[in-house]
Amino acid sequence: MRALVTGAAGLVGSSMVRLLSKQGFELITVDNYLRGQIFGPEGDTRPTMDALRKEARVDHHVMDVRDPKVGELVEGVDLVVHTAAQPSHPRSIEIPVEDFEINARATLLLLEAVRRRAPQAVFVYCSTNKVYGDVPNSFTYERVGRRYTPVDPTLRNGFDEGLRIDQCLHTPFGVSKAAADLYVQEFGRLYGLRTGVFRMGCITGGAAMAVEQHNWEPYFVRKALNGERLTIFGYEGYQVRDVIHADDLSRLFLEFFRHPHPGEVYNAGGGPTNSTSLLEAIELIEGIVGRKMLVDHGPAREGDHMWYVSNLAKAQRHHPGWGITIGLPEIFRGIYQAQMGRPVAAPPHGSAR
Ligand SMILES: NC(=O)c1ccc[n+]([C@@H]2O[C@H](COP(=O)([O-])OP(=O)(O)OC[C@H]3O[C@@H](n4cnc5c(N)ncnc54)[C@H](O)[C@@H]3O)[C@@H](O)[C@H]2O)c1
């Protein structure tokens, strides 16, 4: 079996490469280390790629996914896992055209290459819950304990894939990802390609890089370790996120490869069991690090979700062998251990995604 993984040096891409390598896949990888240019040395994924190349046999290409030549790499592949993306919402507001070129247009080029050169291949697309824009904020929530909870009890298992994606505020990032999300569905439904769309909330793991405005989990742990003040933006920390470990997500992608449902969409976050408010996460981190965190509160960011939990029922119905195996305590302990072995100075201001 042969697979192409784009964004292979990133959090999800590197997890997928490791998993596929163990399964005996021949691997072609693409990454141009754009992340390092966006977030600076602390967000650079080049060291991850260097480590990966020692662990797994990969045919790596330092290429930009915007380059149409990337399409030539799909020749003869059985699986494409497309994870490369311009990942930053604030940056997408500054560079909406570049954001579109990377997230939407490059995805369309890759789909078209698969249609022409490898129509039997399974195509996995990393979408995001940001395609739902600020629609989750149109529901009513109440404070229960140290978190928000939906007043409507039918929502408590999380949002399913029927949540609307339009007539709401997205940021250009949400729009470019939604455009690609729709193209991936369309190539499954119209052309019969074996495509799958996966909409995640917060993905993390020991390999996650702690940078401002992205990957809040390692960022919080870093702040705790350094004894630095952390600013939470909005909702006094009662906002709820669901967190999935990149390795659990990779297992879902592999299940989809084995049992593809062309053109389908899955909400694929941590689900109810891996949901946490930021206040609850801080308490968990304090227990692991063994010190109280210094927390300030700032104003809410526009469009930031008050509560988002993925309903995993469809993903599990289509892939009965799959479920969340890595819980929140293990996730945060893993991040803590990774950071103890990887000390890097934190940027000056704390933030929650
Ligand atoms: N991390 C999350 O919490 C999260 C949540 C929802 C969705 N997603 C989506 O999942 C995917 C993977 O996320 P991640 O956390 O692994 O991201 P990441 O930033 O860790 O990795 C992405 C990799 O893609 C590379 N890349 C970016 N632009 C490129 C380009 N133009 N050409 C080639 N390589 C390029 C980067 O250098 C990086 O190594 C992305 O599509 C992201 O939008 C992530």
Side-chain angles (χ1 to χ4, degrees):
M1 289 289 159
R2 196 175 157 92
L4 169 69
V5 180
T6 71
L11 174 63
V12 177
S14 60
S15 164
M16 200 62 209
V17 166
R18 285 192 180 95
L19 179 63
L20 293 176
S21 167
K22 280 189 201 132
Q23 301 290 320
F25 274 75
E26 196 182 316
L27 286 157
I28 306 160
T29 56
V30 170
D31 203 301
N32 68 347
Y33 311 120
L34 182 85
R35 196 186 161 88
Q37 291 166 36
I38 294 174
F39 294 121
E42 289 175 339
D44 194 0
T45 50
R46 199 181 299 258
T48 308
M49 198 68 221
D50 293 343
L52 208 53
R53 292 171 86 169
K54 287 183 193 139
E55 288 171 45
R57 277 227 336 265
V58 294
D59 175 15
H60 185 60
H61 299 258
V62 181
M63 285 176 87
D64 192 314
V65 286
R66 285 171 286 186
D67 183 342
K69 286 205 172 67
V70 170
E72 294 171 14
L73 301 175
V74 307
E75 202 79 59
V77 302
D78 304 286
L79 169 65
V80 175
V81 183
H82 182 38
T83 84
Q86 187 300 110
S88 163
H89 312 235
R91 195 172 143 92
S92 79
I93 296 167
E94 289 161 26
I95 51 151
V97 175
E98 193 181 341
D99 175 82
F100 174 85
E101 297 282 338
I102 297 171
N103 291 354
R105 187 168 185 276
T107 303
L108 176 59
L109 291 180
L110 199 53
L111 282 166
E112 182 61 355
V114 170
R115 183 169 82 92
R116 296 194 176 276
R117 295 169 182 266
Q120 295 308 311
V122 170
F123 187 101
V124 168
Y125 176 61
C126 287
S127 187
T128 164
N129 66 3
K130 298 297 181 291
V131 301
Y132 299 120
D134 62 355
V135 170
N137 291 352
S138 61
F139 297 86
T140 311
Y141 304 99
E142 59 188 350
R143 286 184 179 187
V144 176
R146 288 162 67 75
R147 63 161 64 196
Y148 280 120
T149 300
V151 169
D152 176 354
T154 63
L155 279 183
R156 291 186 188 156
N157 285 332
F159 290 117
D160 66 22
E161 296 77 5
L163 199 63
R164 77 181 150 87
I165 64 167
D166 67 342
Q167 300 171 79
C168 56
L169 181 79
H170 283 94
T171 77
F173 171 83
V175 178
S176 64
K177 295 293 284 189
D181 178 312
L182 289 173
Y183 273 120
V184 176
Q185 291 184 53
E186 195 62 21
F187 272 61
R189 289 164 195 259
L190 180 67
Y191 299 119
L193 295 192
R194 301 203 269 175
T195 63
V197 170
F198 296 83
R199 295 176 178 162
M200 282 70 74
C202 305
I203 313 167
T204 197
M209 307 278 180
V211 293
E212 196 176 19
Q213 296 175 349
H214 200 251
N215 294 344
W216 63 269
E217 308 85 354
Y219 192 79
F220 279 27
V221 173
R222 171 89 54 79
K223 286 288 184 184
L225 273 170
N226 290 356
E228 291 172 345
R229 302 198 76 81
L230 171 78
T231 304
I232 290 180
F233 293 98
Y235 310 124
E236 294 174 33
Y238 285 76
Q239 60 267 54
V240 170
R241 305 284 181 258
D242 68 339
V243 181
I244 185 167
H245 194 287
D247 293 349
D248 271 340
L249 185 62
S250 294
R251 288 193 310 102
L252 177 58
F253 291 170
L254 186 59
E255 284 299 309
F256 183 82
F257 169 70
R258 289 175 175 153
H259 309 284
H261 295 257
E264 281 295 356
V265 177
Y266 302 98
N267 285 350
T273 54
N274 267 15
S275 70
T276 178
S277 73
L278 298 188
L279 290 180
E280 290 165 348
I282 285 170
E283 208 174 307
L284 184 58
I285 295 167
E286 286 175 342
I288 292 167
V289 175
R291 85 154 58 117
K292 282 300 266 183
M293 288 186 71
L294 309 166
V295 179
D296 298 320
H297 293 275
R301 292 185 169 141
E302 208 171 9
D304 220 13
H305 292 159
M306 202 167 171
W307 187 89
Y308 188 90
V309 174
S310 314
N311 186 319
L312 301 177
K314 184 176 170 189
Q316 286 173 326
R317 202 168 58 247
H318 286 191
H319 309 97
W322 180 81
I324 296 289
T325 64
I326 310 174
L328 289 173
E330 197 180 336
I331 285 176
F332 279 99
R333 266 200 307 275
I335 293 171
Y336 167 73
Q337 281 156 1
Q339 295 212 358
M340 292 297 280
R342 194 176 60 195
V344 190
H349 302 294
S351 70
R353 176 170 49 203

